[in-house]
Amino acid sequence: MDILYLMILCSVSLAAIFLVVFIVYARKGQFEDDESPAVRILFDSDEIKEQEEIGNNKKDEKEIGENNKIEEKSE
């Protein structure tokens, strides 16, 4: 009978831990985006890669431009 009490205590403790973890991640916004994983499968993988490359190129150009300004000022 003692093992039954121990098992109940362990299962309730484990459930409480999972509840706390769920609440913490729900507040951080982990479960906010429900649609994009389901819609992502509809797009061709090449289109997604091209969009990411375009975004990365713009970011790189901006960084290069800022570096050139710093180098011009130092010369």
Side-chain angles (χ1 to χ4, degrees), residues 34-74:
D34 292 335
E35 289 185 24
S36 67
V39 174
R40 190 178 305 145
I41 197 169
L42 299 175
F43 293 111
D44 194 17
S45 63
D46 295 335
E47 293 175 5
I48 295 171
K49 289 179 184 176
E50 288 174 4
Q51 290 175 354
E52 289 176 357
E53 288 175 2
I54 290 170
N56 289 339
N57 288 341
K58 289 181 181 178
K59 183 178 178 184
D60 291 341
E61 288 174 3
K62 182 179 179 184
E63 290 175 358
I64 291 170
E66 290 175 359
N67 289 339
N68 288 338
K69 289 179 186 176
I70 293 170
E71 289 175 5
E72 289 174 4
K73 290 179 183 178
S74 64

